[in-house]
Amino acid sequence: MRKTFQILILGLLIFGCKERVTDQKLSKKKVEFNQELAQELQEMVQIDQLAASNAFPPEKYSNLSQEEWEAFKDSIFKNNQKRAEKILDKYGFVGYDLAGKEGSRNFWLIVQHSDHNPDFQNEALEKMEIEVKKENAEPSNFGLLVDRVKLNTGEKQIYGTQVAYDTDTGQAYPRKLADSTNVNQRRKSIGLEPLEIYLNRMSKMHFEMNKAGMIKNGITKPKLYTTEQKPAGNNI
């Protein structure tokens, strides 16, 4: 009887080990690269960038009024978001293995620009975190999405990636930011440059994109932070 009991226990242990091995194999199952999805995401981002990069209608859409242009941009972001939601439901957050680094970044960018639907952004963020922990998605992009979701849900951002600009100087400053003293430590942990360097880069970019109007307003160059200077602003 005792021998039979020992054999039964041994069998259960072996069976349990096999189950665990099977589970591990399933969790590490190779994801097949999806070229069709990668191509689709590239095309979605091309139209996304058309909407995101221009304050006024480009020449191709110069027949549109400012109001019509804004409505057109909104429709682009909303249509992309609806498609991205279906992709998220089917695959989870798009990682490197599924669509390559560019494809993963393109999917993130569409999520990043879905400000009209913060619930969707938050769902994508949760699934992106899983891929980041597997080193299958970009940590720095994860940080940008964290900040986007925080601000879109009424909270303070963590990494200071979302900025506004001083209208008198053209200087970028972080929007509502939690614990500004330790922000560079948090940024470093996900591969982001120090905040003051990032803000200077954003200030220069903003100036170049709006150069004619800023010069007209007497701003010949943006005000920049020194590397030792902590960014200041009413919203920090």
Side-chain angles (χ1 to χ4, degrees):
M1 180 68 179
R2 184 177 179 182
K3 187 175 182 180
T4 303
F5 181 73
Q6 289 175 336
I7 293 172
L8 179 61
I9 293 297
L10 181 61
L12 289 172
L13 288 171
I14 293 171
F15 179 75
C17 289
K18 285 183 177 179
E19 274 196 330
R20 284 194 294 273
V21 170
T22 301
D23 289 343
Q24 288 174 1
K25 286 182 178 179
L26 287 173
S27 66
K28 294 180 180 179
K29 185 179 179 181
K30 185 175 176 63
V31 175
E32 185 177 349
F33 182 81
N34 191 326
Q35 180 60 49
E36 185 177 344
L37 177 61
Q39 180 63 35
E40 181 184 7
L41 290 169
Q42 185 178 45
E43 292 170 1
M44 290 170 70
V45 162
Q46 286 176 351
I47 189 72
D48 169 272
Q49 289 300 283
L50 174 68
S53 302
N54 295 280
F56 299 99
E59 186 176 351
K60 184 179 178 181
Y61 298 95
S62 59
N63 61 310
L64 299 179
S65 67
Q66 184 62 36
E67 185 176 299
E68 290 171 333
W69 172 241
E70 293 298 331
F72 177 68
K73 291 200 298 182
D74 287 345
S75 69
I76 288 173
F77 295 137
K78 288 177 180 178
N79 287 337
N80 273 353
Q81 181 266 314
K82 288 178 182 177
R83 174 58 185 143
E85 189 168 13
K86 291 180 180 178
I87 294 171
L88 186 71
D89 288 342
K90 184 173 182 179
Y91 299 105
F93 186 87
V94 176
Y96 301 153
D97 53 0
L98 181 63
K101 287 192 173 183
E102 183 179 0
S104 181
R105 181 188 181 278
N106 287 341
F107 184 76
W108 160 80
L109 193 59
I110 292 164
V111 175
Q112 186 81 349
H113 291 164
S114 299
D115 294 320
H116 61 279
N117 194 334
D119 288 339
F120 164 71
Q121 286 182 316
N122 190 54
E123 182 184 358
L125 179 67
E126 291 174 353
K127 293 183 179 180
M128 184 179 187
E129 185 174 15
I130 296 171
E131 301 307 317
V132 168
K133 288 179 178 178
K134 294 192 295 185
E135 298 183 352
N136 194 39
E138 179 58 48
S140 59
N141 287 343
F142 174 76
L144 268 75
L145 186 55
V146 167
D147 282 353
R148 200 85 163 207
V149 170
K150 289 287 186 184
L151 291 178
N152 285 341
T153 54
E155 298 183 49
K156 292 182 178 180
Q157 60 177 324
I158 303 298
Y159 302 103
T161 63
Q162 306 302 299
V163 305
Y165 298 91
D166 188 308
T167 55
D168 295 326
T169 65
Q171 187 177 43
Y173 62 89
R175 295 167 63 190
K176 295 186 298 182
L177 176 63
D179 185 21
S180 59
T181 303
N182 298 303
V183 64
N184 278 339
Q185 296 176 22
R186 298 193 297 274
R187 290 176 64 86
K188 185 178 181 180
S189 71
I190 59 170
L192 290 173
E193 62 199 332
L195 182 57
E196 58 273 21
I197 295 176
Y198 171 73
L199 293 174
N200 284 346
R201 181 160 55 84
M202 298 300 287
S203 297
K204 292 174 184 177
M205 188 183 304
H206 179 70
F207 178 79
E208 289 302 320
M209 290 176 64
N210 301 277
K211 195 169 186 178
M214 297 189 81
I215 291 176
K216 185 178 179 181
N217 291 331
I219 304 173
T220 57
K221 61 181 181 179
K223 183 180 178 181
L224 302 178
Y225 300 95
T226 63
T227 53
E228 298 81 16
Q229 178 184 4
K230 288 185 179 181
N234 294 332
N235 290 327
I236 295 181

